[in-house]
Amino acid sequence: METSTFTTKVGLAQMLKGGVIMDVVTPEQAKIAEAAGAVAVMALERVPADIRKDGGVARMSDPAMIEGIIKAVTIPVMAKARIGHFVEAQILEALGVDYIDESEVLTPADEENHINKHDFKVPFVCGCRNLGEALRRIAEGAAMIRTKGEAGTGNVVEAVRHARSVLGEIRRLQSLSPDELFVAAKNLQAPYELVKHVAETGRLPVVNFAAGGIATPADAALMMQIGVDGVFVGSGIFKSGDPEKRARAIVEATTHFRDAARLAAVSRDLGPAMVGIEISTIPEAELLASRGW
Amino acid sequence: MNVGVLALQGAFVEHEAMLRRLGVNVVQVRTPAEFATVERLIIPGGESTVIGQLLATSGLLEPICERGRAGMPIWGTCAGMILLAREITEGRKAGQAQLGLMDITARRNAFGRQIDSFETDLAVPVLGPEPFHAVFIRAPQIDRVGPAAEVLATLPDGRIVAAREGHLLATAFHPELTGDDRFHRLFLTL
């Protein structure tokens, strides 16, 4: 018997496909998310919208708070570590979280190296803006990828940009001859073996979710139709007027993402969505997606 | 013959790919209309609480129960097994949807958290002498089988991880994540 193999790490993400992973900051929110149909919860102290507002250094959450959420629900619990902060990751692994998000939403701890995720038994999800970034994270041991989007804005435009970039570059690779893949790997700054795998199979070797700015059922369905495997919703739920109803609606929309009549039905009377921020009004230094490389 | 794969949430594409390799016509089932076109159904791995809720809101709970009781072959893997089970050891929360077609008792997250997920070679006599490489992910187990159900596989410590009751099949692990299609072929003979 072998525990925590790459197959079981990727496998959990495969079981999450077609689902919605929701940010929660208390055990009560975790229970609401679970009851509303979340496939997993992301335990953190402040949702990205508040991290953006409060400023300062954003770190791993208090273990007591993460444990409280682990005890509150039966679905998988994820938690965030800072980019490159492998000790935060060791602590999260010791707490028994089911997935670690090495996240640009927190303040990076290392501006050159991401965590060597092969060293861990717990699987990791990492953000990306393009295919090269996705493949570099997979080379480091990530078992799941998500677009970065621009977290805490309630604006889906960056998630769309990143998902279209990843999926478009995959399609481009498929059109190349085997002779051209070596240079393609060089240009993507990604390992040749992974580039070859993507060119041959037409997809990433791990599950690929959308994240960053998803606030409505239509946003979730948009990302699913573009071609991601599932969605993360951060600030979009508990920063809205009626979190439980909105959460249920986003879950329905992620499953029935091609059924417009259904999407119309679940989008009705949800109360106010989170306010949202136009990306161009954010000073460049405050953009989260440019963290990590 | 159309084989349906319940496509509300979870690893349904993997089952679909396995069935297609066997030359089977596969239908993704999200609606009662799609369900009406299939003769068999696989309920995939995923989160049982989520799939249960979506079964109810998608109007599929009643039709699947009805045709399952009338003899339609149904196979549940992992979360699907939990939904098929008549009882859950730790109890179902009020209002939690279930099919409850199979006379077994399932225990959710029976092996611990994600870091306890594992792979192992499993003896499955009904598939022949060759062991089956089984992938367990936050897996359930079967605590009890009813008199009509037959145990198909146990771990070395005696825990039940696969069972059959007539036209119903339950596995705690994920044959769709391996290259071994013997469970899929077994299901097509039920």
Side-chain angles (χ1 to χ4, degrees):
Chain A
M1 183 185 295
E2 253 193 299
T3 60
S4 296
T5 60
F6 195 62
T7 300
T8 66
K9 289 175 171 179
V10 175
L12 178 58
Q14 287 174 285
M15 299 309 140
L16 301 176
K17 284 191 297 183
V20 183
I21 299 168
M22 302 183 192
D23 277 6
V24 298
V25 301
T26 63
E28 291 67 38
Q29 285 188 357
K31 283 182 187 156
I32 291 171
E34 182 179 44
V39 79
V41 290
M42 177 74 70
L44 70 177
E45 262 168 9
R46 291 178 290 172
V47 293
D50 288 332
I51 291 174
R52 195 175 279 287
K53 202 169 65 193
D54 298 350
V57 174
R59 309 179 178 89
M60 177 190 81
S61 297
D62 185 332
M65 172 267 178
I66 295 168
E67 271 173 349
I69 288 172
I70 288 176
K71 286 203 186 83
V73 294
T74 61
I75 55 177
V77 176
M78 301 183 168
K80 289 183 194 290
R82 282 180 266 180
I83 289 173
H85 205 315
F86 52 87
V87 174
E88 283 188 351
Q90 290 164 5
I91 292 170
L92 293 174
E93 181 176 67
L95 290 173
V97 304
D98 297 296
Y99 242 92
I100 293 176
D101 183 6
E102 186 181 18
S103 178
E104 70 284 358
V105 167
L106 305 183
T107 311
D110 187 329
E111 293 192 333
E112 281 182 27
N113 304 291
H114 282 248
I115 296 170
N116 178 358
K117 294 165 274 285
H118 295 291
D119 284 351
F120 290 80
K121 289 176 80 75
V122 63
F124 282 75
V125 55
C126 288
C128 73
R129 288 164 298 177
N130 51 53
L131 182 60
E133 209 173 342
L135 295 180
R136 287 193 290 279
R137 297 295 87 75
I138 294 166
E140 295 157 2
M144 179 179 183
I145 289 293
R146 58 172 173 76
T147 62
K148 286 180 173 172
E150 189 57 33
T153 60
N155 188 340
V156 79
V157 64
E158 294 301 303
V160 169
R161 189 192 318 279
H162 300 157
R164 284 212 186 273
S165 170
V166 170
L167 297 167
E169 287 175 301
I170 290 173
R171 283 191 293 270
R172 199 184 70 81
L173 277 189
Q174 285 181 281
S175 71
L176 298 182
S177 84
D179 298 353
E180 296 165 330
L181 291 178
F182 300 99
V183 172
K186 187 194 85 176
N187 293 338
L188 286 168
Q189 299 177 43
Y192 167 72
E193 285 304 325
L194 286 173
V195 170
K196 184 163 163 278
H197 174 94
V198 170
E200 284 169 1
T201 60
R203 56 165 302 137
L204 292 176
V206 304
V207 169
N208 178 25
F209 270 45
I214 294 161
T216 67
D219 288 348
L222 172 69
M223 299 312 300
M224 293 298 288
Q225 285 197 29
I226 287 174
V228 300
D229 296 317
V231 299
F232 284 83
V233 185
S235 319
I237 289 175
F238 287 99
K239 284 285 167 192
S240 73
D242 186 344
E244 185 166 1
K245 193 169 180 193
R246 182 167 295 267
R248 280 181 188 278
I250 293 176
V251 169
E252 288 283 326
T254 304
T255 291
H256 300 285
F257 62 93
R258 281 202 190 90
D259 184 341
R262 191 100 184 200
L263 295 174
V266 302
S267 299
R268 296 170 75 94
D269 297 326
L270 293 181
M274 71 178 284
V275 175
I277 306 172
E278 163 56 35
I279 305 293
S280 61
T281 64
I282 305 172
E284 207 159 310
E286 289 175 24
L287 289 173
L288 302 177
S290 50
R291 295 168 166 180
W293 28 91
Chain B
M1 178 185 68
N2 283 337
V3 176
V5 180
L6 190 70
L8 296 173
Q9 192 273 314
F12 50 87
V13 175
E14 289 79 356
H15 275 295
E16 197 181 338
M18 204 75 152
L19 291 169
R20 284 197 201 287
R21 278 203 293 279
L22 290 170
V24 173
N25 203 28
V26 189
V27 175
Q28 290 189 3
V29 173
R30 292 185 179 83
T31 64
E34 286 160 347
F35 180 60
T37 68
V38 305
E39 281 86 61
R40 293 166 187 271
L41 183 70
I42 295 179
I43 306 176
E47 274 305 311
S48 59
T49 52
V50 180
I51 298 175
Q53 177 181 317
L54 289 165
L55 275 174
T57 57
S58 305
L60 283 164
L61 208 52
E62 280 309 306
I64 295 175
C65 280
E66 222 164 86
R67 294 186 65 194
R69 277 194 293 266
M72 178 189 230
I74 303 179
W75 173 18
T77 53
C78 196
M81 176 179 108
I82 295 167
L83 289 159
L84 275 184
R86 190 154 301 158
E87 291 165 7
I88 299 293
T89 303
E90 62 274 25
R92 283 194 165 89
K93 286 180 194 156
Q96 198 169 324
Q98 58 154 331
L99 297 165
L101 288 166
M102 198 169 166
D103 187 16
I104 57 174
T105 303
R107 180 195 297 266
R108 292 185 63 202
N109 299 334
F111 299 90
R113 303 199 65 84
Q114 170 59 17
I115 53 169
D116 306 303
S117 293
F118 64 98
E119 299 179 52
T120 192
D121 285 332
L122 204 60
V124 188
V126 71
L127 298 179
E130 192 74 17
F132 192 92
H133 190 71
V135 182
F136 291 79
I137 298 168
R138 283 174 51 95
Q141 68 181 47
I142 300 172
D143 279 350
R144 177 197 65 88
V145 296
E150 170 195 0
V151 172
L152 297 185
T154 56
L155 289 169
D157 62 8
R159 305 210 239 181
I160 304 168
V161 290
R164 175 169 69 182
E165 182 184 327
H167 58 285
L168 302 171
L169 180 64
T171 55
F173 48 92
H174 294 281
E176 77 282 9
L177 298 185
T178 66
D180 194 335
D181 60 15
R182 284 180 292 163
F183 264 106
H184 288 80
R185 283 188 277 144
L186 173 70
F187 172 63
L188 294 175
T189 67
L190 294 181

